[in-house]
Amino acid sequence: MEALRAFRFKRENTVIDRADPRVRALLSVSLAALSLYAQSIEKQLLIILTALAVAAAARRLKRLAGVIKAALPLSAMIFALNWLFGPGTGLVQPLVLALRFLALSASLSLFFMTTSPDELSLLLESMRLPREYSMLVTMSFRFVPTLALDVEAVMHALQSRGLELERGSITRRVKNYLYLMVPLIVHEVRRSLMAAEALEARGFGSPRKPSRYRELRAKTSDYLFIALLAAYIVLFLAL
Amino acid sequence: MLHEGNVVVQVRDLYYTYPGGIEALKGVNLEVYQGEVLAIMGENGAGKTTLVKHFNGILKPTRGQVLVKGIDTRHASVAELSRIVGFVFQNPDHQLFADTVYEEVAFALRNFGYPEHVIESRVKWALNLMDLWKYRTRSPFSLSVGERKRLTIASVLAYDPEIIVLDEPTAGQDHLQKEKISEIIHLLRLMGKTVVIVTHDVEFVTEHVDRVAVMARGKILAVGPPQRVLCDPQLLREARLVAPQLVKLSLILRRHGILNEGEYEWRADKLAPKLIKVLRSGADGGSPGI
């Protein structure tokens, strides 16, 4: 549930929010790429710290820290599996891989936390993705928080009828979660059909090229941002 | 009807803050008496559903406490409290999942560990009560909205909880379904159940409940019989509720001197004789009044 909440977009008025979404995408992708390239613990930590610093500038430090906290168990599992079954014998490589997972989670979450569904749509269309597909992606992200609320509602309803989700053997627990899936799928299918009807009723799918209320235009500050990012990448690679 | 000494739910200075930081309840105090039908009313976001979700422990107090039959909800599981408090959610689609209507009703009974022969008789009783026995082999998703709503009520009634919470039972229901829900509430009253209804529907409340608790911005503004609470224009304005039609009519009648200052008639069967009297006096040659 916490992981789903990380996708909930909340508009803020910070220097990061005001930046062009393409710049924010570039930042996240660059951090993720650097994380994949880096092979040392220090560099992975540096990327995580950079992501946290950007989150602090975007007034979302607590939320990003929450995402990292939610990713910790999986990261610990990556560490343990690589330590026990990995090709090397040392602790460095498993730790780098575990930290890389956290760095990737943090850098990509940063983008989704600071980008509204509208901006995401504009970004995808600026990348020449057909509108049907960009709508599909934005709608998916748009409905993640709604899905989180639905999961909560269904869980509450089942618990109210005496179902204890976290009790019993592993097979019992898995079966308990199957009870959760049926109403959730039925509800989401109904919701998607309604959303599709609502979209069609408002002219979606019309053969004419849709106009946009807002167009993406890079500002001077965005170029400055890119220059800063380039300097960061050069410094990072030189380290 | 009300036994003031017999409190089944006691809410003491309850505060609740959602994980996102929204403070939904700010010092709520409320007592629910055994056998009463209580309505909790207020605008959207007033904290009504948040409050009732504390009754079966789905939500735990941030501060303060909720006692259900003397049990502190902070120290009891939802499953334990659900045996006492049955919760019927607003959207039936959130809770139906079984292959058949029969299995849907049997689900809670199985969770509570009832033997199979008891489950069979309880399911049959509950489905007959809600007029759904004929659909027992059908999928719950093939039923109409009203039938699905009744099925969720049957699945709660089957395990015989003492307190029943209905969250927005009349929302999105047509007149016939509302009538059926009215009958169910009447039936629950006859069965001696304590019923808590969360609703916006003032007309429904005037006819069916013993007491109304009016909420706004996470606080309870007033608790009392509907004829008092729903006739207070200032209170209704504060809670952003619309007065019942008959209260509105009473205000007009007061302006024309047919009702005395401060007098309201909130039931049609009580207002009608007064109007008939005025109209008859008009027909007899006197002033028609209106």
Side-chain angles (χ1 to χ4, degrees), chain B residues 119-139:
Chain B
I119 292 176
E120 206 178 315
S121 63
R122 299 294 309 173
V123 172
K124 193 171 180 183
W125 172 80
L127 284 177
N128 272 324
L129 203 64
M130 293 296 124
D131 197 21
L132 293 169
W133 178 246
K134 55 185 177 285
Y135 301 135
R136 64 190 175 280
T137 55
R138 276 179 51 179
S139 163

PDB file of all heavy atoms in Angstrom, chain B residues 119-139:
ATOM      1  N   ILE B 119     -24.383 -23.026   9.517  1.00  0.00           N
ATOM      2  CA  ILE B 119     -24.156 -22.134   8.362  1.00  0.00           C
ATOM      3  C   ILE B 119     -25.343 -22.248   7.405  1.00  0.00           C
ATOM      4  O   ILE B 119     -25.911 -21.247   6.966  1.00  0.00           O
ATOM      5  CB  ILE B 119     -22.832 -22.486   7.643  1.00  0.00           C
ATOM      6  CG1 ILE B 119     -21.643 -22.153   8.552  1.00  0.00           C
ATOM      7  CG2 ILE B 119     -22.714 -21.759   6.297  1.00  0.00           C
ATOM      8  CD1 ILE B 119     -20.284 -22.524   8.017  1.00  0.00           C
ATOM      9  N   GLU B 120     -25.755 -23.494   7.133  1.00  0.00           N
ATOM     10  CA  GLU B 120     -26.837 -23.734   6.183  1.00  0.00           C
ATOM     11  C   GLU B 120     -28.126 -23.049   6.630  1.00  0.00           C
ATOM     12  O   GLU B 120     -28.782 -22.347   5.847  1.00  0.00           O
ATOM     13  CB  GLU B 120     -27.053 -25.243   6.059  1.00  0.00           C
ATOM     14  CG  GLU B 120     -27.637 -25.644   4.729  1.00  0.00           C
ATOM     15  CD  GLU B 120     -27.793 -27.150   4.630  1.00  0.00           C
ATOM     16  OE1 GLU B 120     -26.843 -27.873   5.006  1.00  0.00           O
ATOM     17  OE2 GLU B 120     -28.872 -27.593   4.217  1.00  0.00           O
ATOM     18  N   SER B 121     -28.457 -23.231   7.918  1.00  0.00           N
ATOM     19  CA  SER B 121     -29.715 -22.642   8.383  1.00  0.00           C
ATOM     20  C   SER B 121     -29.634 -21.113   8.437  1.00  0.00           C
ATOM     21  O   SER B 121     -30.595 -20.423   8.105  1.00  0.00           O
ATOM     22  CB  SER B 121     -30.111 -23.224   9.743  1.00  0.00           C
ATOM     23  OG  SER B 121     -29.158 -22.889  10.701  1.00  0.00           O
ATOM     24  N   ARG B 122     -28.449 -20.578   8.817  1.00  0.00           N
ATOM     25  CA  ARG B 122     -28.312 -19.118   8.919  1.00  0.00           C
ATOM     26  C   ARG B 122     -28.365 -18.469   7.525  1.00  0.00           C
ATOM     27  O   ARG B 122     -28.967 -17.417   7.347  1.00  0.00           O
ATOM     28  CB  ARG B 122     -26.985 -18.720   9.588  1.00  0.00           C
ATOM     29  CG  ARG B 122     -26.774 -19.186  10.997  1.00  0.00           C
ATOM     30  CD  ARG B 122     -27.695 -18.585  11.998  1.00  0.00           C
ATOM     31  NE  ARG B 122     -27.764 -17.137  11.943  1.00  0.00           N
ATOM     32  CZ  ARG B 122     -28.607 -16.406  12.647  1.00  0.00           C
ATOM     33  NH1 ARG B 122     -29.483 -16.984  13.449  1.00  0.00           N
ATOM     34  NH2 ARG B 122     -28.602 -15.109  12.569  1.00  0.00           N
ATOM     35  N   VAL B 123     -27.717 -19.134   6.550  1.00  0.00           N
ATOM     36  CA  VAL B 123     -27.708 -18.583   5.188  1.00  0.00           C
ATOM     37  C   VAL B 123     -29.135 -18.564   4.642  1.00  0.00           C
ATOM     38  O   VAL B 123     -29.595 -17.567   4.084  1.00  0.00           O
ATOM     39  CB  VAL B 123     -26.768 -19.396   4.261  1.00  0.00           C
ATOM     40  CG1 VAL B 123     -26.914 -18.960   2.810  1.00  0.00           C
ATOM     41  CG2 VAL B 123     -25.320 -19.256   4.702  1.00  0.00           C
ATOM     42  N   LYS B 124     -29.837 -19.676   4.864  1.00  0.00           N
ATOM     43  CA  LYS B 124     -31.208 -19.777   4.360  1.00  0.00           C
ATOM     44  C   LYS B 124     -32.081 -18.691   4.989  1.00  0.00           C
ATOM     45  O   LYS B 124     -32.850 -18.010   4.296  1.00  0.00           O
ATOM     46  CB  LYS B 124     -31.766 -21.172   4.685  1.00  0.00           C
ATOM     47  CG  LYS B 124     -33.035 -21.477   3.948  1.00  0.00           C
ATOM     48  CD  LYS B 124     -33.436 -22.904   4.102  1.00  0.00           C
ATOM     49  CE  LYS B 124     -34.735 -23.135   3.322  1.00  0.00           C
ATOM     50  NZ  LYS B 124     -35.250 -24.462   3.461  1.00  0.00           N
ATOM     51  N   TRP B 125     -31.911 -18.514   6.301  1.00  0.00           N
ATOM     52  CA  TRP B 125     -32.702 -17.503   7.019  1.00  0.00           C
ATOM     53  C   TRP B 125     -32.415 -16.106   6.473  1.00  0.00           C
ATOM     54  O   TRP B 125     -33.335 -15.349   6.149  1.00  0.00           O
ATOM     55  CB  TRP B 125     -32.364 -17.591   8.520  1.00  0.00           C
ATOM     56  CG  TRP B 125     -32.963 -16.488   9.327  1.00  0.00           C
ATOM     57  CD1 TRP B 125     -34.241 -16.390   9.771  1.00  0.00           C
ATOM     58  CD2 TRP B 125     -32.293 -15.293   9.774  1.00  0.00           C
ATOM     59  NE1 TRP B 125     -34.426 -15.231  10.467  1.00  0.00           N
ATOM     60  CE2 TRP B 125     -33.236 -14.531  10.482  1.00  0.00           C
ATOM     61  CE3 TRP B 125     -30.998 -14.802   9.653  1.00  0.00           C
ATOM     62  CZ2 TRP B 125     -32.912 -13.315  11.068  1.00  0.00           C
ATOM     63  CZ3 TRP B 125     -30.673 -13.583  10.231  1.00  0.00           C
ATOM     64  CH2 TRP B 125     -31.629 -12.856  10.924  1.00  0.00           C
ATOM     65  N   ALA B 126     -31.122 -15.782   6.337  1.00  0.00           N
ATOM     66  CA  ALA B 126     -30.749 -14.425   5.900  1.00  0.00           C
ATOM     67  C   ALA B 126     -31.192 -14.160   4.465  1.00  0.00           C
ATOM     68  O   ALA B 126     -31.694 -13.074   4.158  1.00  0.00           O
ATOM     69  CB  ALA B 126     -29.239 -14.238   6.034  1.00  0.00           C
ATOM     70  N   LEU B 127     -31.027 -15.164   3.607  1.00  0.00           N
ATOM     71  CA  LEU B 127     -31.410 -14.960   2.191  1.00  0.00           C
ATOM     72  C   LEU B 127     -32.924 -14.845   2.046  1.00  0.00           C
ATOM     73  O   LEU B 127     -33.415 -14.048   1.244  1.00  0.00           O
ATOM     74  CB  LEU B 127     -30.863 -16.088   1.312  1.00  0.00           C
ATOM     75  CG  LEU B 127     -29.366 -16.014   1.005  1.00  0.00           C
ATOM     76  CD1 LEU B 127     -28.915 -17.211   0.195  1.00  0.00           C
ATOM     77  CD2 LEU B 127     -29.015 -14.730   0.255  1.00  0.00           C
ATOM     78  N   ASN B 128     -33.657 -15.624   2.822  1.00  0.00           N
ATOM     79  CA  ASN B 128     -35.117 -15.514   2.783  1.00  0.00           C
ATOM     80  C   ASN B 128     -35.566 -14.148   3.274  1.00  0.00           C
ATOM     81  O   ASN B 128     -36.485 -13.545   2.719  1.00  0.00           O
ATOM     82  CB  ASN B 128     -35.751 -16.611   3.642  1.00  0.00           C
ATOM     83  CG  ASN B 128     -35.971 -17.879   2.834  1.00  0.00           C
ATOM     84  OD1 ASN B 128     -36.298 -17.829   1.652  1.00  0.00           O
ATOM     85  ND2 ASN B 128     -35.775 -19.023   3.463  1.00  0.00           N
ATOM     86  N   LEU B 129     -34.918 -13.675   4.316  1.00  0.00           N
ATOM     87  CA  LEU B 129     -35.245 -12.366   4.905  1.00  0.00           C
ATOM     88  C   LEU B 129     -35.070 -11.246   3.871  1.00  0.00           C
ATOM     89  O   LEU B 129     -35.858 -10.305   3.816  1.00  0.00           O
ATOM     90  CB  LEU B 129     -34.310 -12.130   6.092  1.00  0.00           C
ATOM     91  CG  LEU B 129     -34.757 -11.160   7.162  1.00  0.00           C
ATOM     92  CD1 LEU B 129     -35.997 -11.671   7.867  1.00  0.00           C
ATOM     93  CD2 LEU B 129     -33.649 -10.946   8.176  1.00  0.00           C
ATOM     94  N   MET B 130     -34.043 -11.369   3.057  1.00  0.00           N
ATOM     95  CA  MET B 130     -33.752 -10.337   2.054  1.00  0.00           C
ATOM     96  C   MET B 130     -34.373 -10.682   0.698  1.00  0.00           C
ATOM     97  O   MET B 130     -34.053 -10.043  -0.312  1.00  0.00           O
ATOM     98  CB  MET B 130     -32.225 -10.164   1.890  1.00  0.00           C
ATOM     99  CG  MET B 130     -31.538  -9.596   3.087  1.00  0.00           C
ATOM    100  SD  MET B 130     -32.064  -7.930   3.459  1.00  0.00           S
ATOM    101  CE  MET B 130     -32.584  -8.154   5.139  1.00  0.00           C
ATOM    102  N   ASP B 131     -35.206 -11.721   0.668  1.00  0.00           N
ATOM    103  CA  ASP B 131     -35.894 -12.125  -0.551  1.00  0.00           C
ATOM    104  C   ASP B 131     -34.896 -12.493  -1.670  1.00  0.00           C
ATOM    105  O   ASP B 131     -35.076 -12.128  -2.833  1.00  0.00           O
ATOM    106  CB  ASP B 131     -36.832 -10.986  -1.003  1.00  0.00           C
ATOM    107  CG  ASP B 131     -37.883 -11.465  -1.994  1.00  0.00           C
ATOM    108  OD1 ASP B 131     -38.137 -12.685  -2.021  1.00  0.00           O
ATOM    109  OD2 ASP B 131     -38.403 -10.624  -2.750  1.00  0.00           O
ATOM    110  N   LEU B 132     -33.842 -13.206  -1.291  1.00  0.00           N
ATOM    111  CA  LEU B 132     -32.806 -13.559  -2.270  1.00  0.00           C
ATOM    112  C   LEU B 132     -32.562 -15.067  -2.354  1.00  0.00           C
ATOM    113  O   LEU B 132     -31.658 -15.506  -3.067  1.00  0.00           O
ATOM    114  CB  LEU B 132     -31.475 -12.869  -1.899  1.00  0.00           C
ATOM    115  CG  LEU B 132     -31.418 -11.357  -2.012  1.00  0.00           C
ATOM    116  CD1 LEU B 132     -30.155 -10.827  -1.359  1.00  0.00           C
ATOM    117  CD2 LEU B 132     -31.488 -10.901  -3.456  1.00  0.00           C
ATOM    118  N   TRP B 133     -33.342 -15.849  -1.628  1.00  0.00           N
ATOM    119  CA  TRP B 133     -33.108 -17.305  -1.601  1.00  0.00           C
ATOM    120  C   TRP B 133     -33.191 -17.905  -3.002  1.00  0.00           C
ATOM    121  O   TRP B 133     -32.440 -18.794  -3.359  1.00  0.00           O
ATOM    122  CB  TRP B 133     -34.105 -17.965  -0.632  1.00  0.00           C
ATOM    123  CG  TRP B 133     -33.985 -19.458  -0.551  1.00  0.00           C
ATOM    124  CD1 TRP B 133     -34.911 -20.365  -0.954  1.00  0.00           C
ATOM    125  CD2 TRP B 133     -32.883 -20.227  -0.032  1.00  0.00           C
ATOM    126  NE1 TRP B 133     -34.466 -21.636  -0.723  1.00  0.00           N
ATOM    127  CE2 TRP B 133     -33.212 -21.582  -0.159  1.00  0.00           C
ATOM    128  CE3 TRP B 133     -31.636 -19.892   0.515  1.00  0.00           C
ATOM    129  CZ2 TRP B 133     -32.379 -22.619   0.244  1.00  0.00           C
ATOM    130  CZ3 TRP B 133     -30.793 -20.921   0.910  1.00  0.00           C
ATOM    131  CH2 TRP B 133     -31.164 -22.259   0.781  1.00  0.00           C
ATOM    132  N   LYS B 134     -34.101 -17.314  -3.818  1.00  0.00           N
ATOM    133  CA  LYS B 134     -34.283 -17.830  -5.177  1.00  0.00           C
ATOM    134  C   LYS B 134     -33.026 -17.645  -6.044  1.00  0.00           C
ATOM    135  O   LYS B 134     -32.865 -18.302  -7.056  1.00  0.00           O
ATOM    136  CB  LYS B 134     -35.509 -17.196  -5.843  1.00  0.00           C
ATOM    137  CG  LYS B 134     -35.519 -15.682  -5.866  1.00  0.00           C
ATOM    138  CD  LYS B 134     -36.827 -15.181  -6.440  1.00  0.00           C
ATOM    139  CE  LYS B 134     -36.942 -13.663  -6.437  1.00  0.00           C
ATOM    140  NZ  LYS B 134     -37.209 -13.062  -5.130  1.00  0.00           N
ATOM    141  N   TYR B 135     -32.149 -16.746  -5.644  1.00  0.00           N
ATOM    142  CA  TYR B 135     -30.924 -16.489  -6.421  1.00  0.00           C
ATOM    143  C   TYR B 135     -29.710 -17.210  -5.844  1.00  0.00           C
ATOM    144  O   TYR B 135     -28.585 -16.903  -6.226  1.00  0.00           O
ATOM    145  CB  TYR B 135     -30.612 -14.989  -6.442  1.00  0.00           C
ATOM    146  CG  TYR B 135     -31.692 -14.120  -7.019  1.00  0.00           C
ATOM    147  CD1 TYR B 135     -32.076 -12.948  -6.384  1.00  0.00           C
ATOM    148  CD2 TYR B 135     -32.313 -14.464  -8.220  1.00  0.00           C
ATOM    149  CE1 TYR B 135     -33.061 -12.137  -6.913  1.00  0.00           C
ATOM    150  CE2 TYR B 135     -33.298 -13.665  -8.754  1.00  0.00           C
ATOM    151  CZ  TYR B 135     -33.680 -12.496  -8.104  1.00  0.00           C
ATOM    152  OH  TYR B 135     -34.639 -11.709  -8.631  1.00  0.00           O
ATOM    153  N   ARG B 136     -29.908 -18.142  -4.911  1.00  0.00           N
ATOM    154  CA  ARG B 136     -28.777 -18.689  -4.146  1.00  0.00           C
ATOM    155  C   ARG B 136     -27.680 -19.332  -4.999  1.00  0.00           C
ATOM    156  O   ARG B 136     -26.523 -19.345  -4.605  1.00  0.00           O
ATOM    157  CB  ARG B 136     -29.275 -19.693  -3.089  1.00  0.00           C
ATOM    158  CG  ARG B 136     -29.939 -20.934  -3.653  1.00  0.00           C
ATOM    159  CD  ARG B 136     -30.594 -21.721  -2.547  1.00  0.00           C
ATOM    160  NE  ARG B 136     -31.337 -22.860  -3.064  1.00  0.00           N
ATOM    161  CZ  ARG B 136     -32.550 -22.796  -3.604  1.00  0.00           C
ATOM    162  NH1 ARG B 136     -33.171 -21.635  -3.693  1.00  0.00           N
ATOM    163  NH2 ARG B 136     -33.158 -23.883  -4.056  1.00  0.00           N
ATOM    164  N   THR B 137     -28.037 -19.839  -6.192  1.00  0.00           N
ATOM    165  CA  THR B 137     -27.017 -20.499  -7.023  1.00  0.00           C
ATOM    166  C   THR B 137     -26.439 -19.553  -8.080  1.00  0.00           C
ATOM    167  O   THR B 137     -25.548 -19.928  -8.821  1.00  0.00           O
ATOM    168  CB  THR B 137     -27.606 -21.733  -7.744  1.00  0.00           C
ATOM    169  OG1 THR B 137     -28.754 -21.307  -8.474  1.00  0.00           O
ATOM    170  CG2 THR B 137     -27.987 -22.827  -6.763  1.00  0.00           C
ATOM    171  N   ARG B 138     -26.931 -18.321  -8.103  1.00  0.00           N
ATOM    172  CA  ARG B 138     -26.446 -17.382  -9.126  1.00  0.00           C
ATOM    173  C   ARG B 138     -25.198 -16.637  -8.654  1.00  0.00           C
ATOM    174  O   ARG B 138     -24.909 -16.573  -7.464  1.00  0.00           O
ATOM    175  CB  ARG B 138     -27.547 -16.363  -9.455  1.00  0.00           C
ATOM    176  CG  ARG B 138     -28.500 -16.944 -10.482  1.00  0.00           C
ATOM    177  CD  ARG B 138     -29.623 -16.023 -10.834  1.00  0.00           C
ATOM    178  NE  ARG B 138     -29.243 -14.675 -11.210  1.00  0.00           N
ATOM    179  CZ  ARG B 138     -30.118 -13.750 -11.569  1.00  0.00           C
ATOM    180  NH1 ARG B 138     -31.411 -14.044 -11.600  1.00  0.00           N
ATOM    181  NH2 ARG B 138     -29.738 -12.543 -11.886  1.00  0.00           N
ATOM    182  N   SER B 139     -24.474 -16.049  -9.618  1.00  0.00           N
ATOM    183  CA  SER B 139     -23.293 -15.264  -9.252  1.00  0.00           C
ATOM    184  C   SER B 139     -23.757 -13.932  -8.655  1.00  0.00           C
ATOM    185  O   SER B 139     -24.680 -13.309  -9.195  1.00  0.00           O
ATOM    186  CB  SER B 139     -22.447 -15.008 -10.486  1.00  0.00           C
ATOM    187  OG  SER B 139     -21.557 -13.945 -10.227  1.00  0.00           O
TER     188      SER B 139
END
